[in-house]
Amino acid sequence: MGLHPLEFSECYLDSPSFREKIKAHEAELDKTNRFIKELYKDGKNLINATKQLSLAQRKFAQCLGEFQFEYIGDAKTDDEKCIDESLQEFSAFLRNLEDQRELMMRNITETLMKPLEKFRKEQLGSAKAERKKYEKETEKYYTSLEKLLNMSAKKKEPQLQEADGAVEAMRQHFQEESLEYVCKLQEIQERKKFECVEPMLAFFQTVFTFYHQGFELANDFDHYKRALQINIQNTRSRFEGTRSEVYELMKKIKENPQEYRQTSPISSEGYLYVQEKRPPPFGSSWVKRYCTFVKEQKILHMITFDPKSGGKFGETESVTLKSCVRKTTDTLDRRFCLDIEITDRPGTVLTVQALSEDDHKFWMQAMGGKEPVHYLGRTYSKERGIDAQLDEVGVNFVRSSINAIETRGINDQGLYRVVGVSSKVQKLLSLMIDEKSNDVDLAVCEEWDVKTITSALKLYLRSLPEPLMTYGLYKEFIVPAKSGSPEARVQAIHCLVHKLPERNREVLSLVTKHLANVAAHSKQNLMTVANLGVVFGPTLMRPQEETVAAIMDLKFQNIVVEILIEQHEKIFGDIPSVSPSSAISPLAPTRQSKKQTRQSRPLAVYNPSVLDIHTVSPSSEFVSLTPDEASLGSNESVSSQSSTASTSETPPEKAKSPHGDTLPITTPQNSGVCTAMASWMNSTLSPSPSEVKAESPPAAAVGGPEDKPSESVTLMKAKAVYPCEAEHDSELSFQVGAIFHAVTLSREPGWLEGELEGKRGLIPENYVEIL
């Protein structure tokens, strides 16, 4: 049973049971006071612990944001750029989350800690003060009463009446005090039910709002996460291809290091021990130097450098070579020596010692020997004993292979990645490029399986004396892949393809058209454009020199091949209208991949004093994304952002990602179209007396791209001035000249909403003009 009610009539009786009831009420208030004090203490500890967590996460975010990846080579792919920026994105996400947490902590202090402490001090404190006063009045009254009752009856009547009057006055005051105290006790007992629980409700409202903010941040982050997964998978695929090439080169160098010693046709480099003669009786000493011999000028640069001494550089000396003579052991008891006569000091002979016999031959050859300088422009045909030529027989083999693959195995999983048995592959290729026996129809011949045919086709293309895209144009093809916008890349590669020899271009067209067909069946064969770029990048184009630096450019070879596959019809079907140099510009602005960003919004604060509380469901305030599971086998390539339409102008950069917060009528980045839209919105949304008053903004201001605009708003039209390819389900793809209907401002900064061919979606505002 709960506490007994305190009847006012009992204040006059002041019975023992009445006093017991009062004690029970007092004990309950004491317990409540202790509970609030303990809760306040724990709340302070919670806030302090949360602050420590927030500080740790902010430090973690700062560490993420300050780190940057270094890359090998002179340029990064678009995927690598996104990966480089990802740490800053993660850092910003964590900082945003911690901003919300900090706001939550402030709100908890205001909505929970302060109200509870105020109730404890003002209400429970006043009850305690009333209790002391009541006890004091009790003692005073009963002491006076006892004193009156002990007074002698022989006292004079006026004295007795005066004493009776004083005690009666005390009794009335005591009873009034008792009434007020009883009222106060019961009032506080009732008040604590909401004074304690209401701040608790505010606390949980604040906490749940914080978690809801986290949920919204996660939704906003989802699109960026899926795009980054694609970037990572593309980079991993290129890494696997690059790693295999690097290991292959390392294996070849291990097997024949002298063949790869010469890394440049201009100069020769390596260590030599140089004899330094000293005056008698000290004799001479041999100093290890790193030497570079420039062949054309016949200058030998020597740097004193010993890796054993911590890699410190010493003095540098340069001499001009006049002649080089092998030094025999008859005159000097050391092997692998050369006598170098220099022109700087006539009559002076510099004696140097090579590291081995092979090294000795290398330097003899470099400094004027009769052996030709070996150059690394080797081909696969010499290596494998296959005489592949880009002639009619070879072209017929390409056509026959493509026909067989598309007839028999276009849906085979891992097409072109699953390799055939090496001996069977070489046997098939030798058979097909033999003019006497190349009439085999691979489309119906069951002797050769599909993986053998695909491997033979790749082997043929790799075994050509010169790759399809030629050594001469290799660097020109790589340049646009390293810079410029996607549209400019397509234009530059379009021009370069038409500089290829006619037969090379014919075969390249056959192959890339076939690969586009393979990519169209990627749901079955799992070979996306990006995967095909990894396989055929080093097959269709390669540098004349085999070096690690050249292998690091494999990722850009892949990008070129991806563009050839995606833009096959345009590149091979149309004659280019501009030259490669004008098509690509290092300063051309790139259209960035959109990333999910979110502006910080204040947490909703539960305010008990506000009675008119409007509940807003999450679905009415935020746009929910429908997350698709990110496929590790990406269907997107690095070049997938390139527009399918050609334009002589570079389109402006899109605004950052949609799905952010409500768009103001004017924003700094939306000057032209936004100003026009703002003035239109102001004139449209200002109701005249004859118009029906609209109490809510247009649906486009609060909803997603699928929301229909309010019927009370006059809708406008817009015209596309640049082509655009959608990068998200909520966006529209369009070409130059497309007309959009029902155009309104979106809540996303830098975006409009409109309808095109029956579909409603987001439009970058700087890609259109208002009609």
Side-chain angles (χ1 to χ4, degrees):
M1 183 177 176
L3 295 172
H4 292 281
L6 300 174
E7 298 292 344
F8 287 130
S9 59
E10 291 187 277
C11 294
Y12 294 91
L13 295 175
D14 198 17
S15 64
S17 62
F18 174 67
R19 287 287 179 163
E20 286 300 319
K21 292 177 185 178
I22 287 179
K23 286 183 179 180
H25 278 264
E26 290 172 345
E28 173 61 23
L29 293 185
D30 288 341
K31 185 176 74 172
T32 303
N33 185 64
R34 290 193 300 272
F35 161 72
I36 293 176
K37 287 180 73 174
E38 190 68 22
L39 188 67
Y40 187 85
K41 178 182 176 183
D42 291 341
K44 283 286 188 183
N45 292 337
L46 173 63
I47 290 174
N48 291 333
T50 306
K51 286 180 178 178
Q52 291 301 316
L53 171 64
S54 183
L55 285 174
Q57 295 220 125
R58 286 187 184 277
K59 190 174 185 304
F60 181 73
Q62 180 183 0
C63 182
L64 282 177
E66 291 176 351
F67 183 79
Q68 284 189 331
F69 292 106
E70 293 295 336
Y71 59 93
I72 301 174
D74 58 355
K76 292 183 283 190
T77 65
D78 291 346
D79 287 318
E80 289 172 330
K81 291 174 185 176
C82 293
I83 290 174
D84 286 348
E85 295 167 2
S86 64
L87 295 185
Q88 283 73 38
E89 288 291 325
F90 297 154
S91 176
F93 177 83
L94 283 176
R95 288 198 305 272
N96 198 340
L97 188 64
E98 292 315 306
D99 289 342
Q100 303 299 326
R101 194 192 306 277
E102 190 175 309
L103 191 56
M104 177 187 72
M105 287 299 100
R106 290 203 299 269
N107 288 338
I108 287 175
T109 300
E110 294 296 325
T111 58
L112 174 65
M113 308 299 289
K114 288 184 178 180
L116 284 179
E117 187 66 4
K118 181 181 179 182
F119 173 75
R120 189 182 73 82
K121 288 182 177 179
E122 292 183 0
Q123 300 299 324
L124 297 180
S126 66
K128 192 173 182 180
E130 288 289 335
R131 178 180 175 179
K132 289 181 179 179
K133 187 176 179 183
Y134 175 66
E135 290 173 348
K136 184 178 180 181
E137 290 297 327
T138 298
E139 183 180 357
K140 185 177 178 182
Y141 166 64
Y142 281 109
T143 300
S144 300
L145 181 62
E146 288 176 2
K147 190 175 181 181
L148 175 67
L149 294 176
N150 290 330
M151 183 178 289
S152 173
K154 297 178 180 181
K155 293 281 187 182
K156 294 181 179 180
E157 188 64 25
Q159 290 180 326
L160 293 175
Q161 289 179 358
E162 183 181 354
D164 290 342
V167 170
E168 179 63 21
M170 285 184 186
R171 183 185 63 80
Q172 290 180 0
H173 183 69
F174 163 69
Q175 289 174 345
E176 288 175 2
E177 197 64 44
S178 179
L179 288 170
E180 289 180 6
Y181 182 51
V182 165
C183 180
K184 186 71 172 178
L185 285 177
Q186 295 187 114
E187 176 189 337
I188 295 175
Q189 293 290 5
E190 293 300 308
R191 180 186 289 272
K192 73 178 182 181
K193 298 175 184 177
F194 56 87
E195 292 278 12
C196 289
V197 175
E198 199 167 38
M200 301 291 182
L201 178 61
F203 166 76
F204 282 99
Q205 175 80 8
T206 301
V207 171
F208 292 148
T209 304
F210 168 71
Y211 286 125
H212 182 72
Q213 293 289 90
F215 171 76
E216 288 298 317
L217 284 172
N219 270 355
D220 291 347
F221 188 71
D222 184 70
H223 178 57
Y224 175 73
K225 177 197 73 176
R226 287 183 280 122
L228 184 60
Q229 284 177 321
I230 293 171
N231 299 138
I232 292 171
Q233 180 58 27
N234 288 343
T235 304
R236 178 182 284 112
S237 298
R238 294 194 183 94
F239 162 76
E240 295 295 340
T242 302
R243 183 173 65 169
S244 63
E245 293 287 334
V246 169
Y247 275 89
E248 183 69 22
L249 177 60
M250 183 174 66
K251 180 181 176 183
K252 292 175 184 177
I253 292 177
K254 282 181 179 180
E255 293 171 352
N256 195 356
Q258 287 303 318
E259 183 179 356
Y260 289 84
R261 172 70 180 274
Q262 178 62 48
T263 57
S264 168
I266 300 172
S267 62
S268 300
E269 300 180 28
Y271 282 102
L272 289 171
Y273 281 85
V274 181
Q275 184 184 36
E276 292 187 352
K277 297 179 181 179
R278 298 180 181 179
F282 299 106
S284 61
S285 63
W286 294 83
V287 180
K288 186 179 182 181
R289 293 191 170 188
Y290 190 79
C291 301
T292 302
F293 180 67
V294 183
K295 298 176 183 178
E296 188 174 345
Q297 288 85 12
K298 291 190 174 183
I299 297 176
L300 182 65
H301 302 284
M302 297 179 290
I303 303 173
T304 303
F305 179 80
D306 190 355
K308 293 189 299 183
S309 63
K312 293 182 179 179
F313 287 89
E315 60 180 12
T316 301
E317 182 181 1
S318 299
V319 297
T320 304
L321 182 72
K322 182 178 181 181
S323 65
C324 176
V325 180
R326 180 191 300 271
K327 193 172 187 71
T328 63
T329 56
D330 297 339
T331 57
L332 181 65
D333 190 18
R334 292 180 81 100
R335 298 187 299 164
F336 321 135
C337 291
L338 302 151
D339 277 343
I340 300 174
E341 186 178 356
I342 56 179
T343 60
D344 307 68
R345 299 189 291 271
T348 302
V349 175
L350 189 66
T351 302
V352 298
Q353 183 182 25
L355 307 183
S356 64
E357 183 63 34
D358 288 338
D359 197 42
H360 184 264
K361 292 178 181 178
F362 168 79
W363 284 107
M364 284 289 292
Q365 177 182 329
M367 294 183 185
K370 296 181 181 179
E371 297 176 11
V373 176
H374 181 72
Y375 193 64
L376 288 182
R378 298 178 297 112
T379 65
Y380 285 87
S381 57
K382 293 179 183 177
E383 224 175 86
R384 307 185 184 215
I386 296 173
D387 185 21
Q389 298 295 328
L390 196 61
D391 52 14
E392 194 62 36
V393 174
V395 176
N396 289 337
F397 167 62
V398 173
R399 286 198 176 98
S400 178
S401 299
I402 290 173
N403 182 43
I405 294 164
E406 295 189 349
T407 302
R408 297 169 52 193
I410 193 71
N411 292 324
D412 288 2
Q413 286 193 6
L415 191 65
Y416 284 109
R417 273 213 161 162
V418 178
V419 298
V421 179
S422 179
S423 57
K424 290 183 67 177
V425 171
Q426 295 200 36
K427 182 179 178 182
L428 172 60
L429 182 55
S430 299
L431 176 68
M432 295 302 294
I433 63 177
D434 185 352
E435 295 185 10
K436 298 177 182 178
S437 57
N438 62 355
D439 57 349
V440 179
D441 187 356
L442 296 176
V444 296
C445 182
E446 297 294 333
E447 179 184 355
W448 309 102
D449 55 21
V450 173
K451 65 183 179 182
T452 301
I453 299 173
T454 57
S455 298
L457 177 57
K458 289 191 294 182
L459 178 58
Y460 166 75
L461 295 172
R462 279 178 171 254
S463 300
L464 292 171
E466 188 175 33
L468 272 184
M469 299 173 72
T470 71
Y471 290 133
L473 291 176
Y474 173 79
K475 290 185 178 179
E476 293 186 52
F477 273 113
I478 289 293
V479 168
K482 292 183 176 181
S483 58
S485 66
E487 291 82 2
R489 292 175 186 174
V490 174
Q491 290 179 10
I493 291 172
H494 187 184
C495 298
L496 291 169
V497 164
H498 285 265
K499 291 175 67 176
L500 290 170
E502 185 175 350
R503 178 154 284 175
N504 292 55
R505 189 167 65 251
E506 175 191 356
V507 176
L508 185 62
S509 176
L510 285 173
V511 173
T512 52
K513 180 180 180 182
H514 162 63
L515 295 180
N517 191 18
V518 172
H521 293 77
S522 61
K523 286 188 177 180
Q524 292 77 32
N525 58 39
L526 307 182
M527 293 303 292
T528 62
V529 172
N531 291 339
L532 291 170
V534 171
V535 174
F536 278 88
T539 300
L540 298 178
M541 59 185 300
R542 61 180 181 271
Q544 199 162 3
E545 289 185 346
E546 278 187 287
T547 63
V548 172
I551 291 174
M552 289 299 118
D553 279 344
L554 270 178
K555 53 196 174 187
F556 299 108
Q557 298 174 31
N558 302 345
I559 293 174
V560 173
V561 173
E562 289 171 13
I563 292 173
L564 290 174
I565 296 171
E566 290 182 322
Q567 306 292 333
H568 171 269
E569 292 185 4
K570 174 183 177 180
I571 290 174
F572 293 95
D574 302 332
I575 297 175
S577 57
V578 293
S579 64
S581 58
S582 61
I584 189 72
S585 171
L587 300 177
T590 60
R591 193 174 72 198
Q592 296 179 343
S593 296
K594 299 189 297 299
K595 301 168 192 169
Q596 290 297 334
T597 58
R598 181 178 182 80
Q599 299 174 359
S600 298
R601 69 177 73 185
L603 284 166
V605 179
Y606 179 77
N607 189 350
S609 64
V610 179
L611 299 179
D612 186 15
I613 301 175
H614 301 283
T615 303
V616 181
S617 66
S619 60
S620 67
E621 186 181 357
F622 305 104
V623 179
S624 297
L625 298 177
T626 305
D628 299 324
E629 291 298 325
S631 171
L632 291 182
S634 160
N635 284 330
E636 296 187 29
S637 69
V638 169
S639 56
S640 62
Q641 296 175 12
S642 58
S643 172
T644 54
S646 174
T647 177
S648 59
E649 298 181 65
T650 302
E653 194 172 278
K654 281 187 185 179
K656 290 254 180 174
S657 138
H659 315 295
D661 289 309
T662 305
L663 172 70
I665 291 297
T666 56
T667 56
Q669 70 265 33
N670 305 338
S671 55
V673 175
C674 190
T675 303
M677 288 292 291
S679 61
W680 163 74
M681 289 286 283
N682 291 334
S683 63
T684 303
L685 296 178
S686 300
S688 64
S690 61
E691 292 177 327
V692 178
K693 183 178 181 182
E695 294 294 339
S696 59
V702 294
E706 300 303 321
D707 296 336
K708 295 294 183 182
S710 171
E711 293 181 359
S712 64
V713 178
T714 305
L715 304 177
M716 297 190 68
K717 293 183 180 181
K719 179 181 178 182
V721 294
Y722 298 106
C724 177
E725 184 175 343
E727 298 173 13
H728 193 267
D729 294 341
S730 61
E731 301 170 25
L732 295 177
S733 294
F734 50 85
Q735 301 297 328
V736 176
I739 302 297
F740 303 94
H741 299 276
V743 177
T744 62
L745 279 173
S746 170
R747 72 184 186 87
E748 317 299 347
W751 294 78
L752 306 174
E753 291 182 23
E755 291 183 3
L756 178 65
E757 298 177 354
K759 181 182 177 182
R760 186 166 186 81
L762 291 168
I763 310 160
E765 60 92 5
N766 50 354
Y767 274 51
V768 300
E769 60 181 7
I770 301 298
L771 296 179

